[in-house]
Amino acid sequence: MSLSPEQRREYRAIAHNLKPVIIVGDKGLSEGLQEELERALNDHELIKIKVASPDRDVRREAIDALCESSGAELVQTIGKIAVILRRAKQPNPKLSNLLRNK
């Protein structure tokens, strides 16, 4: 699924006030982190991820690996923060950032 510029703009606006729910630290892309990412994407659909590495290339590789493993689409990256999206089959109106912010 590829996002149009209009969709990206809309998702960036929704994500603006969100806090990172996944923080990739020293342990990198562990199994626990993958499970938490799956839960967060299923619940919220649109989330922010913080990658704590000071190296830009390492951050980019980590974000790409997370998107690829979870089937999520990268919406935006700014510094250490990335916004990713994966639509849920049955979104929960109380938890979904997409439904709550419309």
XYZ file of all heavy atoms in Angstrom:
801
model
N 0.843 -1.167 0.000
C 0.000 0.000 0.000
C 0.890 1.232 0.000
O 1.737 1.390 0.863
C -0.938 -0.075 1.197
C -0.612 0.794 2.373
S -1.772 0.591 3.705
C -0.720 0.988 5.044
N 0.710 2.060 -0.982
C 1.482 3.281 -1.079
C 0.579 4.462 -0.744
O -0.582 4.487 -1.135
C 2.036 3.416 -2.492
O 2.865 4.533 -2.549
N 1.121 5.415 -0.025
C 0.327 6.555 0.419
C 0.498 7.727 -0.538
O 1.605 8.028 -0.976
C 0.776 6.985 1.819
C 0.627 5.953 2.919
C 1.249 6.477 4.203
C -0.822 5.607 3.137
N -0.610 8.397 -0.817
C -0.549 9.592 -1.648
C -0.046 10.763 -0.789
O -0.087 10.704 0.443
C -1.941 9.916 -2.195
O -2.775 10.366 -1.145
N 0.409 11.828 -1.413
C 0.860 12.996 -0.631
C -0.238 13.558 0.284
O 0.054 14.005 1.393
C 1.255 14.009 -1.710
C 1.614 13.175 -2.898
C 0.706 11.980 -2.840
N -1.484 13.516 -0.173
C -2.591 14.013 0.647
C -2.783 13.137 1.888
O -3.016 13.645 2.986
C -3.900 14.058 -0.158
C -3.903 15.073 -1.274
C -3.187 14.582 -2.530
O -3.043 13.353 -2.727
O -2.727 15.435 -3.312
N -2.692 11.813 1.698
C -2.826 10.899 2.832
C -1.680 11.103 3.821
O -1.907 11.143 5.031
C -2.824 9.442 2.351
C -4.079 9.040 1.615
C -3.949 7.648 1.023
O -2.932 7.326 0.406
N -4.975 6.837 1.210
N -0.465 11.232 3.303
C 0.688 11.465 4.182
C 0.494 12.736 5.006
O 0.781 12.763 6.201
C 1.977 11.586 3.372
C 2.500 10.278 2.880
C 3.885 10.433 2.268
N 4.260 9.256 1.534
C 4.722 8.137 2.079
N 4.854 8.060 3.362
N 5.031 7.104 1.328
N 0.019 13.783 4.370
C -0.210 15.049 5.069
C -1.241 14.865 6.180
O -1.069 15.354 7.297
C -0.657 16.122 4.065
C -0.749 17.488 4.653
C -0.991 18.603 3.640
N -1.739 18.228 2.457
C -1.217 18.158 1.230
N 0.046 18.423 1.028
N -1.964 17.842 0.201
N -2.324 14.155 5.884
C -3.367 13.912 6.877
C -2.828 13.095 8.055
O -3.065 13.422 9.215
C -4.535 13.165 6.226
C -5.653 12.840 7.175
C -6.740 12.004 6.526
O -6.762 11.891 5.288
O -7.570 11.452 7.273
N -2.069 12.039 7.766
C -1.521 11.188 8.825
C -0.472 11.930 9.650
O -0.380 11.747 10.862
C -0.935 9.899 8.244
C -1.980 9.016 7.607
C -1.688 8.298 6.453
C -3.259 8.902 8.138
C -2.641 7.487 5.856
C -4.213 8.101 7.552
C -3.906 7.393 6.416
O -4.856 6.599 5.828
N 0.327 12.781 9.019
C 1.297 13.582 9.768
C 0.580 14.528 10.725
O 1.029 14.734 11.858
C 2.194 14.381 8.822
C 3.239 13.552 8.125
C 4.318 14.408 7.478
N 3.823 15.534 6.715
C 3.741 15.573 5.390
N 4.121 14.555 4.675
N 3.291 16.653 4.783
N -0.524 15.108 10.273
C -1.287 16.019 11.130
C -1.856 15.275 12.341
O -1.822 15.785 13.464
C -2.414 16.668 10.330
N -2.371 14.072 12.119
C -2.910 13.268 13.221
C -1.786 12.894 14.189
O -1.938 12.958 15.409
C -3.608 12.001 12.693
C -4.874 12.384 11.919
C -3.951 11.046 13.835
C -5.512 11.228 11.165
N -0.625 12.528 13.659
C 0.486 12.055 14.486
C 1.199 13.181 15.231
O 1.948 12.907 16.167
C 1.487 11.306 13.617
N 0.958 14.406 14.848
C 1.688 15.529 15.425
C 1.645 15.529 16.958
O 2.653 15.760 17.613
C 1.148 16.844 14.874
C 1.841 18.047 15.415
N 3.117 18.396 15.039
C 1.456 18.970 16.327
C 3.478 19.489 15.693
N 2.492 19.854 16.480
N 0.491 15.287 17.547
C 0.337 15.353 19.000
C 0.584 14.029 19.707
O 0.447 13.959 20.924
C -1.067 15.860 19.355
C -1.266 17.301 18.938
O -0.354 18.114 19.048
N -2.438 17.612 18.435
N 0.927 12.975 18.966
C 1.162 11.673 19.580
C 2.544 11.612 20.219
O 3.465 12.289 19.784
C 1.046 10.556 18.534
C -0.284 10.403 17.803
C -0.180 9.271 16.791
C -1.401 10.135 18.788
N 2.659 10.782 21.246
C 3.950 10.490 21.869
C 4.447 9.148 21.324
O 3.646 8.295 20.967
C 3.789 10.376 23.389
C 3.204 11.614 24.036
C 4.299 12.506 24.518
C 3.788 13.654 25.336
N 3.510 14.834 24.583
N 5.764 8.928 21.278
C 6.273 7.625 20.824
C 5.807 6.501 21.750
O 5.916 6.623 22.966
C 7.794 7.787 20.892
C 8.030 9.256 20.864
C 6.843 9.887 21.530
N 5.291 5.431 21.174
C 4.842 4.285 21.970
C 5.866 3.159 21.937
O 5.830 2.274 22.771
C 3.460 3.750 21.523
C 2.371 4.748 21.832
C 3.459 3.401 20.065
N 6.780 3.193 20.975
C 7.853 2.204 20.868
C 9.172 2.968 20.884
O 9.346 3.923 20.120
C 7.753 1.395 19.552
C 6.404 0.690 19.422
C 8.917 0.418 19.435
C 6.207 -0.467 20.353
N 10.081 2.535 21.754
C 11.407 3.146 21.806
C 12.436 2.049 21.589
O 12.494 1.094 22.356
C 11.643 3.867 23.143
C 10.612 4.992 23.298
C 13.063 4.414 23.212
C 10.653 5.707 24.610
N 13.208 2.168 20.513
C 14.243 1.199 20.183
C 15.517 1.665 20.879
O 16.047 2.721 20.550
C 14.465 1.099 18.660
C 15.532 0.071 18.345
C 13.162 0.766 17.948
N 15.976 0.869 21.838
C 17.152 1.249 22.616
C 18.373 0.442 22.246
O 18.559 0.032 21.095
N 19.215 0.176 23.253
C 20.489 -0.522 23.051
C 20.324 -1.955 22.575
O 21.171 -2.474 21.863
C 21.295 -0.530 24.360
C 21.679 0.870 24.790
O 21.704 1.766 23.931
O 21.943 1.061 25.989
N 19.244 -2.615 22.978
C 19.051 -4.022 22.608
C 18.590 -4.188 21.175
O 18.523 -5.296 20.670
C 18.055 -4.684 23.566
C 18.570 -4.755 24.985
C 17.619 -5.466 25.874
C 18.172 -5.481 27.292
N 17.259 -6.059 28.232
N 18.248 -3.094 20.516
C 17.854 -3.156 19.109
C 16.487 -3.778 18.906
O 15.585 -3.601 19.710
N 16.339 -4.538 17.831
C 15.050 -5.091 17.438
C 14.854 -6.473 18.065
O 14.900 -7.482 17.386
C 14.970 -5.169 15.918
C 15.303 -3.869 15.182
C 15.250 -4.081 13.685
C 14.376 -2.767 15.600
N 14.586 -6.495 19.351
C 14.413 -7.756 20.068
C 13.035 -8.349 19.795
O 12.151 -7.695 19.223
C 14.590 -7.537 21.561
O 13.552 -6.713 22.053
N 12.852 -9.577 20.223
C 11.565 -10.251 20.037
C 10.461 -9.542 20.820
O 9.344 -9.380 20.347
C 11.685 -11.707 20.492
C 10.456 -12.537 20.156
C 10.655 -13.997 20.517
O 11.741 -14.541 20.222
O 9.710 -14.579 21.074
N 10.775 -9.101 22.017
C 9.802 -8.366 22.833
C 9.370 -7.072 22.168
O 8.200 -6.687 22.224
N 10.316 -6.389 21.547
C 9.999 -5.150 20.850
C 9.080 -5.429 19.660
O 8.136 -4.678 19.416
C 11.284 -4.466 20.378
C 11.043 -3.112 19.729
C 11.770 -2.032 20.502
C 11.491 -3.126 18.303
N 9.343 -6.516 18.939
C 8.489 -6.885 17.798
C 7.060 -7.168 18.261
O 6.099 -6.752 17.612
C 9.056 -8.125 17.088
C 10.412 -7.909 16.459
C 10.344 -7.123 15.165
O 9.288 -6.776 14.664
N 11.502 -6.825 14.606
N 6.922 -7.877 19.389
C 5.585 -8.182 19.922
C 4.862 -6.906 20.328
O 3.668 -6.751 20.071
C 5.704 -9.130 21.110
C 6.173 -10.519 20.731
C 6.490 -11.383 21.939
O 6.277 -10.931 23.088
O 6.953 -12.523 21.719
N 5.577 -6.002 20.978
C 4.969 -4.738 21.400
C 4.581 -3.895 20.188
O 3.539 -3.232 20.187
C 5.944 -3.976 22.303
C 5.364 -2.741 22.919
C 4.175 -2.995 23.820
O 4.004 -4.116 24.322
O 3.383 -2.048 24.016
N 5.393 -3.926 19.144
C 5.078 -3.207 17.913
C 3.785 -3.755 17.296
O 2.922 -2.980 16.870
C 6.235 -3.318 16.920
C 6.012 -2.690 15.550
C 5.873 -1.173 15.669
C 7.152 -3.035 14.613
N 3.661 -5.066 17.239
C 2.439 -5.689 16.706
C 1.211 -5.251 17.503
O 0.185 -4.886 16.944
C 2.551 -7.221 16.737
C 3.432 -7.783 15.652
C 2.884 -7.523 14.254
O 1.662 -7.686 14.030
O 3.678 -7.144 13.383
N 1.328 -5.281 18.834
C 0.204 -4.882 19.684
C -0.157 -3.419 19.448
O -1.321 -3.068 19.278
C 0.543 -5.106 21.163
C -0.656 -4.813 22.073
C -0.253 -4.369 23.461
N 0.634 -3.214 23.491
C 0.231 -1.950 23.336
N -1.038 -1.672 23.087
N 1.088 -0.960 23.403
N 0.855 -2.560 19.404
C 0.613 -1.127 19.221
C -0.037 -0.839 17.871
O -0.970 -0.034 17.777
C 1.921 -0.348 19.356
N 0.438 -1.495 16.812
C -0.152 -1.276 15.482
C -1.579 -1.817 15.420
O -2.444 -1.197 14.798
C 0.715 -1.917 14.408
C 1.996 -1.164 14.067
C 2.893 -2.004 13.175
C 1.691 0.163 13.410
N -1.841 -2.963 16.036
C -3.200 -3.513 16.050
C -4.152 -2.596 16.806
O -5.290 -2.405 16.398
C -3.219 -4.913 16.668
C -2.641 -5.951 15.738
O -2.635 -5.774 14.525
N -2.134 -7.026 16.310
N -3.675 -2.019 17.913
C -4.531 -1.151 18.727
C -4.688 0.240 18.129
O -5.789 0.764 18.038
C -3.962 -1.013 20.142
C -4.124 -2.273 20.962
O -4.854 -3.182 20.526
O -3.507 -2.352 22.046
N -3.576 0.862 17.744
C -3.585 2.286 17.407
C -3.490 2.601 15.917
O -3.776 3.736 15.519
C -2.437 2.988 18.130
C -2.481 2.826 19.620
N -3.503 3.314 20.401
C -1.634 2.187 20.462
C -3.278 3.008 21.660
N -2.146 2.316 21.731
N -3.055 1.684 15.099
C -2.897 1.843 13.650
C -1.811 2.837 13.249
O -0.968 2.533 12.428
C -4.219 2.228 12.969
C -5.294 1.179 13.116
C -6.552 1.557 12.384
O -7.311 2.403 12.907
O -6.761 1.013 11.291
N -1.835 4.042 13.801
C -0.850 5.077 13.485
C -0.059 5.352 14.752
O -0.633 5.773 15.758
C -1.555 6.354 13.014
C -0.664 7.503 12.579
C -0.018 7.196 11.236
C -1.455 8.793 12.495
N 1.262 5.093 14.715
C 2.067 5.259 15.926
C 3.379 5.964 15.609
O 3.808 6.023 14.462
C 2.377 3.901 16.605
C 3.204 3.002 15.684
C 1.109 3.219 17.069
C 3.737 1.754 16.373
N 3.992 6.490 16.684
C 5.330 7.061 16.586
C 6.307 6.092 17.224
O 6.010 5.460 18.233
C 5.411 8.395 17.338
C 4.947 9.575 16.556
C 5.250 10.856 17.308
C 4.812 12.063 16.519
N 5.036 13.301 17.280
N 7.498 5.999 16.618
C 8.580 5.166 17.124
C 9.795 6.066 17.315
O 10.093 6.898 16.453
C 8.936 4.053 16.123
C 7.756 3.125 15.928
C 10.168 3.288 16.577
C 7.991 2.097 14.838
N 10.492 5.880 18.436
C 11.732 6.617 18.667
C 12.890 5.626 18.613
O 12.872 4.606 19.293
C 11.718 7.304 20.025
C 12.966 8.104 20.299
C 12.873 8.859 21.597
C 14.127 9.699 21.789
N 14.055 10.469 23.031
N 13.880 5.935 17.785
C 15.082 5.111 17.691
C 16.210 5.910 18.337
O 16.584 6.974 17.854
C 15.424 4.766 16.227
C 16.640 3.862 16.165
C 14.234 4.108 15.547
N 16.753 5.382 19.447
C 17.684 6.143 20.277
C 19.113 6.188 19.753
O 19.963 6.833 20.355
C 17.677 5.580 21.692
N 19.412 5.565 18.647
C 20.778 5.540 18.119
C 21.190 6.920 17.601
O 20.416 7.600 16.928
C 20.875 4.524 16.972
O 22.120 4.622 16.348
N 22.432 7.326 17.892
C 22.890 8.627 17.375
C 23.279 8.586 15.888
O 23.387 9.625 15.257
C 24.129 8.927 18.232
C 24.610 7.600 18.698
C 23.399 6.717 18.804
N 23.447 7.388 15.325
C 23.864 7.229 13.930
C 22.654 7.211 12.994
O 21.767 6.376 13.135
C 24.678 5.941 13.777
C 25.236 5.771 12.377
O 25.091 6.697 11.550
O 25.821 4.707 12.103
N 22.634 8.112 12.055
C 21.502 8.246 11.128
C 21.257 6.971 10.321
O 20.116 6.560 10.135
C 21.752 9.419 10.191
C 20.628 9.627 9.192
C 20.920 10.751 8.249
N 21.022 11.997 8.996
C 21.412 13.144 8.458
N 21.761 13.210 7.199
N 21.461 14.240 9.180
N 22.324 6.351 9.819
C 22.173 5.135 9.015
C 21.608 3.981 9.825
O 20.778 3.219 9.347
C 23.510 4.733 8.391
C 24.002 5.769 7.384
O 23.147 6.445 6.777
O 25.221 5.903 7.219
N 22.039 3.847 11.075
C 21.522 2.791 11.958
C 20.042 3.021 12.227
O 19.244 2.073 12.224
C 22.326 2.740 13.277
C 21.690 1.802 14.282
C 23.765 2.339 13.003
N 19.659 4.278 12.460
C 18.240 4.601 12.689
C 17.413 4.223 11.470
O 16.345 3.621 11.590
C 18.069 6.095 12.981
C 18.515 6.510 14.339
C 18.011 7.896 14.709
N 18.307 8.923 13.741
C 19.270 9.822 13.859
N 20.054 9.814 14.905
N 19.449 10.738 12.932
N 17.898 4.580 10.290
C 17.167 4.301 9.054
C 16.997 2.795 8.846
O 15.915 2.334 8.484
C 17.917 4.922 7.863
C 17.199 4.790 6.562
C 15.977 5.660 6.561
N 15.069 5.196 5.542
C 13.933 5.763 5.245
N 13.533 6.804 5.915
N 13.159 5.293 4.322
N 18.058 2.025 9.086
C 17.981 0.569 8.952
C 16.985 -0.021 9.940
O 16.225 -0.929 9.592
C 19.360 -0.057 9.166
C 20.326 0.194 8.032
C 21.719 -0.298 8.340
O 21.889 -1.059 9.315
O 22.652 0.085 7.603
N 16.988 0.477 11.178
C 16.067 -0.033 12.203
C 14.617 0.263 11.818
O 13.742 -0.611 11.929
C 16.391 0.585 13.563
N 14.357 1.461 11.335
C 12.993 1.834 10.935
C 12.541 0.995 9.751
O 11.413 0.492 9.727
C 12.921 3.348 10.620
C 13.111 4.153 11.905
C 11.606 3.699 9.946
C 13.385 5.620 11.676
N 13.415 0.817 8.767
C 13.079 -0.015 7.609
C 12.801 -1.454 8.029
O 11.855 -2.078 7.537
C 14.199 0.017 6.567
C 14.303 1.370 5.874
O 13.334 2.158 5.952
O 15.346 1.637 5.260
N 13.610 -1.984 8.944
C 13.417 -3.358 9.415
C 12.104 -3.504 10.161
O 11.380 -4.497 9.987
C 14.586 -3.781 10.304
N 11.753 -2.520 10.972
C 10.481 -2.571 11.713
C 9.294 -2.521 10.753
O 8.326 -3.264 10.915
C 10.394 -1.417 12.711
C 11.264 -1.531 13.951
C 11.226 -0.236 14.748
C 10.811 -2.699 14.801
N 9.362 -1.651 9.765
C 8.268 -1.549 8.787
C 8.123 -2.841 7.997
O 7.011 -3.318 7.774
C 8.499 -0.377 7.845
S 8.267 1.234 8.614
N 9.244 -3.408 7.588
C 9.211 -4.624 6.787
C 8.673 -5.805 7.594
O 7.835 -6.565 7.115
C 10.612 -4.945 6.274
C 10.639 -6.084 5.284
C 12.021 -6.300 4.705
O 12.719 -5.294 4.453
O 12.391 -7.462 4.519
N 9.124 -5.948 8.841
C 8.698 -7.093 9.651
C 7.232 -7.003 10.063
O 6.576 -8.018 10.244
C 9.579 -7.228 10.893
O 9.351 -6.150 11.777
N 6.717 -5.781 10.206
C 5.336 -5.614 10.663
C 4.350 -5.371 9.520
O 3.144 -5.386 9.740
C 5.248 -4.444 11.645
O 5.568 -3.233 10.989
N 4.851 -5.118 8.325
C 3.969 -4.816 7.206
C 3.391 -3.417 7.285
O 2.348 -3.129 6.704
N 4.081 -2.528 7.982
C 3.604 -1.147 8.147
C 4.200 -0.247 7.072
O 5.210 -0.568 6.461
C 3.981 -0.628 9.525
N 3.562 0.882 6.875
C 3.993 1.875 5.891
C 4.615 3.056 6.631
O 4.047 3.566 7.599
C 2.776 2.347 5.097
C 3.067 3.384 4.055
C 3.548 2.784 2.750
O 3.307 1.595 2.519
O 4.158 3.513 1.980
N 5.790 3.487 6.195
C 6.444 4.649 6.795
C 5.748 5.913 6.294
O 5.619 6.128 5.098
C 7.922 4.669 6.408
C 8.739 5.821 6.952
C 8.805 5.768 8.474
C 10.130 5.805 6.363
N 5.297 6.743 7.224
C 4.629 7.993 6.868
C 5.636 9.135 6.860
O 5.666 9.940 5.937
C 3.477 8.307 7.863
C 2.852 9.654 7.563
C 2.430 7.208 7.822
N 6.505 9.174 7.903
C 7.422 10.304 8.035
C 8.538 9.954 9.013
O 8.331 9.196 9.955
C 6.646 11.502 8.583
C 7.460 12.721 8.884
C 6.628 13.811 9.525
O 5.736 13.535 10.303
N 6.924 15.043 9.196
N 9.720 10.521 8.791
C 10.786 10.472 9.785
C 11.322 11.874 9.990
O 11.502 12.627 9.033
C 11.966 9.565 9.366
O 12.485 10.029 8.139
C 11.556 8.122 9.249
N 11.523 12.214 11.245
C 12.162 13.484 11.602
C 13.130 13.169 12.732
O 12.703 12.793 13.824
C 11.149 14.547 12.060
C 10.204 14.914 10.934
C 11.872 15.782 12.576
C 9.164 15.935 11.304
N 14.412 13.281 12.453
C 15.415 12.988 13.472
C 15.313 11.555 13.959
O 15.416 10.620 13.180
N 15.091 11.388 15.253
C 15.018 10.053 15.854
C 13.601 9.501 15.901
O 13.383 8.401 16.390
C 15.596 10.097 17.270
C 17.073 10.444 17.293
C 17.625 10.433 18.679
C 19.110 10.757 18.638
N 19.726 10.648 19.958
N 12.631 10.248 15.405
C 11.220 9.858 15.477
C 10.704 9.452 14.093
O 10.933 10.152 13.112
C 10.344 11.016 16.006
C 10.837 11.514 17.362
C 8.881 10.608 16.075
C 10.656 10.552 18.500
N 9.984 8.329 14.055
C 9.347 7.870 12.816
C 7.862 7.672 13.088
O 7.466 7.262 14.173
C 9.958 6.560 12.350
N 7.052 7.974 12.090
C 5.608 7.732 12.157
C 5.306 6.607 11.177
O 5.664 6.704 10.002
C 4.807 8.999 11.780
C 3.319 8.718 11.786
C 5.149 10.156 12.705
N 4.662 5.537 11.682
C 4.313 4.425 10.805
C 2.826 4.116 10.926
O 2.184 4.434 11.922
C 5.165 3.159 11.074
C 4.912 2.600 12.458
C 6.632 3.454 10.871
C 5.583 1.247 12.677
N 2.310 3.485 9.888
C 0.877 3.209 9.773
C 0.669 1.783 9.299
O 1.348 1.326 8.373
C 0.253 4.168 8.762
C -1.144 3.825 8.249
C -2.190 4.195 9.291
C -1.426 4.554 6.954
N -0.266 1.103 9.934
C -0.765 -0.173 9.425
C -2.227 -0.250 9.825
O -2.556 -0.273 11.001
C -0.004 -1.370 10.005
C -0.476 -2.681 9.346
C 0.246 -3.875 9.887
N -0.278 -4.167 11.218
C 0.287 -5.008 12.070
N 1.401 -5.615 11.772
N -0.250 -5.221 13.243
N -3.087 -0.247 8.819
C -4.523 -0.289 9.104
C -4.920 -1.636 9.691
O -4.459 -2.678 9.247
C -5.320 -0.030 7.834
C -5.165 1.387 7.334
C -6.300 1.732 6.392
N -6.320 3.140 6.100
C -6.982 4.034 6.836
N -7.636 3.683 7.894
N -6.970 5.300 6.489
N -5.799 -1.594 10.696
C -6.290 -2.812 11.340
C -7.502 -3.332 10.573
O -8.257 -2.558 9.973
C -6.671 -2.524 12.785
N -7.686 -4.649 10.598
C -8.853 -5.237 9.934
C -10.131 -4.857 10.674
O -11.147 -4.556 10.063
C -8.700 -6.761 9.874
C -7.589 -7.199 8.928
C -7.318 -8.683 9.036
C -6.192 -9.118 8.132
N -4.927 -8.471 8.405
N -10.076 -4.870 12.013
C -11.199 -4.466 12.850
C -10.717 -3.390 13.821
O -10.403 -3.682 14.968
C -11.730 -5.678 13.643
C -12.334 -6.768 12.799
C -13.644 -6.338 12.149
O -14.425 -5.595 12.737
N -13.873 -6.776 10.925
N -10.675 -2.123 13.403
C -10.155 -1.078 14.291
C -11.060 -0.850 15.499
O -12.281 -0.897 15.389
C -10.102 0.167 13.410
C -10.981 -0.110 12.259
C -11.058 -1.603 12.101
N -10.427 -0.644 16.637
C -11.149 -0.343 17.872
C -11.342 1.171 17.947
O -10.368 1.913 18.032
C -10.330 -0.843 19.075
C -11.046 -0.629 20.388
O -11.943 0.193 20.512
N -10.621 -1.390 21.385
N -12.593 1.655 17.919
C -12.820 3.105 17.891
C -12.259 3.831 19.118
O -11.961 5.010 19.055
C -14.346 3.251 17.847
C -14.891 1.900 17.590
C -13.830 0.895 17.851
N -12.100 3.128 20.237
C -11.582 3.770 21.446
C -10.057 3.866 21.444
O -9.497 4.694 22.133
C -12.041 3.002 22.684
C -13.532 3.079 22.897
C -13.941 2.327 24.133
C -15.451 2.421 24.294
N -15.933 1.596 25.374
N -9.387 3.012 20.670
C -7.932 2.986 20.670
C -7.300 3.516 19.386
O -6.196 4.036 19.416
C -7.427 1.546 20.886
C -7.747 0.920 22.233
C -7.276 -0.522 22.257
C -7.136 1.699 23.361
N -7.968 3.399 18.265
C -7.389 3.772 16.976
C -7.146 5.272 16.892
O -8.064 6.080 17.059
C -8.309 3.348 15.832
O -7.842 3.881 14.611
N -5.903 5.655 16.619
C -5.579 7.085 16.453
C -6.247 7.645 15.199
O -6.511 8.836 15.133
C -4.065 7.276 16.386
C -3.412 7.053 17.725
O -3.950 7.428 18.753
N -2.262 6.430 17.711
N -6.509 6.812 14.216
C -7.139 7.296 12.987
C -8.609 7.617 13.213
O -9.123 8.610 12.708
C -7.010 6.242 11.881
C -5.584 5.908 11.446
C -5.613 4.826 10.370
C -4.868 7.129 10.955
N -9.308 6.769 13.964
C -10.742 6.989 14.196
C -11.003 8.063 15.254
O -11.973 8.805 15.152
C -11.418 5.684 14.612
C -11.383 4.552 13.562
C -12.004 3.287 14.122
C -12.074 4.975 12.288
N -10.136 8.140 16.246
C -10.351 9.103 17.323
C -10.095 10.540 16.875
O -10.626 11.478 17.441
C -9.433 8.811 18.519
C -9.840 7.587 19.282
C -9.041 7.416 20.533
N -7.615 7.445 20.246
C -6.701 7.827 21.112
N -7.042 8.199 22.311
N -5.427 7.819 20.786
N -9.276 10.729 15.859
C -8.863 12.080 15.460
C -9.555 12.591 14.205
O -9.097 13.529 13.601
C -7.340 12.112 15.276
C -6.625 11.953 16.576
O -6.845 12.741 17.488
N -5.816 10.937 16.706
N -10.616 11.975 13.796
C -11.313 12.456 12.593
C -12.372 13.447 12.970
O -12.890 13.514 13.997
C -11.906 11.290 11.829
C -10.811 10.536 11.132
C -11.319 9.860 9.939
C -10.138 9.276 9.228
N -10.304 9.004 7.899
